[in-house]
């Protein structure tokens, strides 16, 4: 068995689609629109075969995006890179482009080399090698 996709509610569908396309080379499928429910989504496809569905709909309550507080549920998304050098370069690109670096590159207790960035809606993304 494998995870087919992960879904994330977002506030701005187009901004989030562009973010994943630009930084993680995702390709977006056709935009799905359900006019009755006022629901819209994209499936974002990655080279590895992994997929994320980003979804937007009126009336969805905003989650707390306070990254200093832990909570149950979605914690982070880990995106694997090919080398420490690529991880360092990507971290600097995110910094230059104005994104929050929530954790500088380091070796973690579980053996990853990682940095942590916040996406445009303050979701936590770990870059890992």
């Amino acid at each position: 068995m494998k995870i087919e996709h992960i879904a994330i509610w977002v506030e701005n569908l187009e901004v989030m689609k562009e973010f994943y396309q630009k930084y993680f080379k995702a390709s977006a499928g056709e935009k799905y629109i359900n006019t009755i429910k006022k629901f819209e989504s994209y499936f974002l496809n990655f080279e590895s075969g992994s997929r994320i569905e980003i979804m937007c709909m009126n009336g969805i309550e905003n989650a707390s995006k306070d990254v200093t507080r832990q909570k149950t549920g979605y914690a982070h998304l880990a995106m694997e890179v090919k080398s420490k050098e690529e991880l360092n370069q990507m971290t600097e690109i995110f910094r230059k482009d104005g994104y929050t670096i929530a954790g500088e590159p380091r070796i973690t207790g579980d053996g990853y080399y990682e940095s942590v960035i916040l996406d445009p809606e303050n979701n936590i993304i770990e870059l890992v090698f």
Side-chain angles (χ1 to χ4, degrees), residues 7-8 20 32 34 40 46 53 61 94-95 114 117 125:
I8 304 171
Y20 282 99
Y32 171 75
N34 182 318
E40 299 179 356
F46 299 90
E53 181 181 14
E61 182 179 337
F94 283 115
R95 188 187 321 277
E114 77 171 28
I117 61 111
I125 299 178

Side-chain angles (χ1 to χ4, degrees), residues 34-99:
N34 182 318
T35 55
I36 296 169
K37 292 183 178 181
K38 296 185 173 36
F39 171 88
E40 299 179 356
S41 72
Y42 285 106
F43 274 96
L44 305 176
N45 305 293
F46 299 90
E47 290 177 0
S48 67
S50 301
R51 299 188 329 151
I52 296 174
E53 181 181 14
I54 53 173
M55 311 176 305
C56 186
M57 185 169 73
N58 290 342
I60 298 297
E61 182 179 337
N62 289 340
S64 169
K65 300 288 177 103
D66 182 353
V67 297
T68 64
R69 297 187 56 189
Q70 296 294 321
K71 56 192 174 296
T72 59
Y74 169 78
H76 64 264
L77 179 64
M79 302 294 282
E80 185 179 45
V81 299
K82 295 178 179 154
S83 68
K84 287 183 178 181
E85 293 76 23
E86 182 182 14
L87 187 145
N88 292 337
Q89 289 171 352
M90 286 186 72
T91 302
E92 290 310 311
I93 289 168
F94 283 115
R95 188 187 321 277
K96 181 181 78 58
D97 289 353
Y99 292 97

Side-chain angles (χ1 to χ4, degrees), residues 5-31:
H5 71 272
I6 303 285
I8 304 171
W9 286 113
V10 301
E11 296 172 33
N12 190 317
L13 199 61
E14 299 304 324
V15 166
M16 293 297 281
K17 178 185 76 149
E18 291 170 16
F19 173 81
Y20 282 99
Q21 288 177 317
K22 178 178 181 178
Y23 295 105
F24 298 108
K25 300 176 184 151
S27 63
E30 291 289 318
K31 184 180 200 177

